[in-house]
Amino acid sequence: MDFTFLIGQALTNGLIIGLLYLLMAIGFTLVFGVMRVVNFAHGEFYMLGAFSAYVCVTKLALPFLAAVLATFVLTLILGWLIEVVVMKGFRGDELNGMIATIGLAMILQNGALMVFGPDPQSMPAVAEGVLALGPVMVPMSRLYVVAFSIVVLIVLYVFLMHSKGGRALRAVVQDIEIANAQGIRSQLMYPLGFGIGVALAAVAGALMAPVFSVSPSIGSTPLLKAFIVVILGGLGSIPGAALAALLLGVFESVANTFMSSSFSDMLLFGFVILMLIFRPAGLLGKAGR
């Protein structure tokens, strides 16, 4: 097969996957930045998002865009409530907060298992057909994923950079004591940050629901990839997470094209270990956070 076609296809698929990793990782970074807690339930919110889109499209006959918007709003409210009711007592408590999110992950996964059963579910593709970009063929359904992901990222950027609430949230992520000294009501930023963080994971799941099957166990792999992206990018660094997500997506896609998945995974984790040894703060992270 033509090498130009293979590398072009791999780079295109890698950028698509990287955008989804980016949504997951920014949400993960946002939750950690605000609460200083590693959210082990992040993958389960991805799973909830996928099931939310599945129910909205196949049971309620909503358009896919409406399903994604409904997923964002519902999981934002759910995340807000979980932070206020469950996670409030674990703010800044890394160990107990981590244990709490592991318990939350088990509750969410087993709850989905009871409601939807263990069998994978599938939903119709968002769009039919294929777009030819020179020698590269891109399914239209994946172009929708790209378009929706970019829109979500632009809206998030505008909110964080140009709104009062977004600036307050960034201030809390950077230094909560200084934020409090400047009069920012950090008590409101905790549920807001947690809600937006898990809603981004849910949107990533909703966008992938038409591409892959949906089941209660689909959250583990995205959670692992979010971990890798956050480590590579630098814990707490949103620009670092963005860079690492795109690099990881492209690396995975290119590696899986030219070698076995097990060998590419070995290379990936070897690179992560070397990164931790020689640059523990990550690509754009700051030492001593």
Side-chain angles (χ1 to χ4, degrees):
M1 192 172 290
D2 183 66
F3 178 79
T4 304
F5 166 76
L6 286 177
I7 196 69
Q9 195 73 52
L11 289 174
T12 304
N13 291 336
L15 290 175
I16 295 171
I17 296 170
L19 283 172
L20 293 168
Y21 289 164
L22 180 53
L23 287 178
M24 286 287 293
I26 288 179
F28 192 88
T29 299
L30 204 54
V31 171
F32 178 82
V34 172
M35 303 188 66
R36 296 297 187 266
V37 168
V38 176
N39 181 20
F40 278 88
H42 207 62
E44 272 56 47
F45 283 99
Y46 172 93
M47 175 270 295
L48 283 184
F51 270 119
S52 172
Y54 168 77
V55 170
C56 287
V57 171
T58 62
K59 307 298 182 185
L60 304 179
L62 292 178
F64 183 66
L65 176 58
V68 175
L69 290 175
T71 295
F72 179 81
V73 173
L74 290 173
T75 49
L76 175 63
I77 295 171
L78 178 63
W80 186 295
L81 292 175
I82 288 176
E83 201 287 329
V84 172
V85 175
V86 179
M87 299 304 297
K88 183 178 180 179
F90 303 104
R91 293 170 181 171
D93 187 344
E94 294 187 18
L95 179 59
N96 289 326
M98 181 182 68
I99 295 171
T101 60
I102 291 174
L104 180 61
M106 294 179 68
I107 291 172
L108 292 176
Q109 187 174 127
N110 284 288
L113 197 60
M114 291 172 62
V115 174
F116 297 103
D119 297 330
Q121 309 291 333
S122 61
M123 59 183 286
V126 180
E128 302 293 339
V130 175
L131 176 67
L133 299 172
V136 178
M137 310 298 285
V138 184
M140 293 299 294
S141 60
R142 297 203 174 198
L143 284 181
Y144 271 80
V145 172
V146 173
F148 284 137
S149 299
I150 292 174
V151 169
V152 171
L153 291 170
I154 290 174
V155 171
L156 179 66
Y157 175 81
V158 171
F159 170 74
L160 290 176
M161 302 303 292
H162 300 290
S163 73
K164 186 177 179 181
R167 287 193 291 268
L169 191 57
R170 285 194 295 122
V172 171
V173 170
Q174 290 171 2
D175 194 315
I176 190 168
E177 292 182 357
I178 294 178
N180 285 330
Q182 292 178 338
I184 293 174
R185 299 175 64 187
S186 59
Q187 298 301 313
L188 291 178
M189 295 300 108
Y190 286 110
L192 179 63
F194 191 84
I196 293 176
V198 300
L200 289 174
V203 166
L207 292 176
M208 290 309 292
V211 180
F212 300 117
S213 60
V214 180
S215 74
S217 61
I218 61 172
S220 57
T221 299
L223 174 63
L224 177 62
K225 297 301 167 59
F227 267 122
I228 294 174
V229 166
V230 170
I231 291 171
L232 288 177
L235 204 56
S237 170
I238 292 178
L243 177 62
L246 296 177
L247 288 176
L248 176 62
V250 170
F251 171 84
E252 268 194 351
S253 182
V254 173
N256 288 332
T257 300
F258 296 102
M259 60 187 74
S260 67
S261 60
S262 58
F263 188 67
S264 66
D265 285 345
M266 187 178 71
L267 283 180
L268 174 62
F269 283 104
F271 177 74
V272 172
I273 291 171
L274 288 175
M275 173 66 78
L276 290 174
I277 292 174
F278 294 105
R279 189 170 172 77
L283 293 172
L284 300 181
K286 296 179 181 178
R289 272 187 68 89

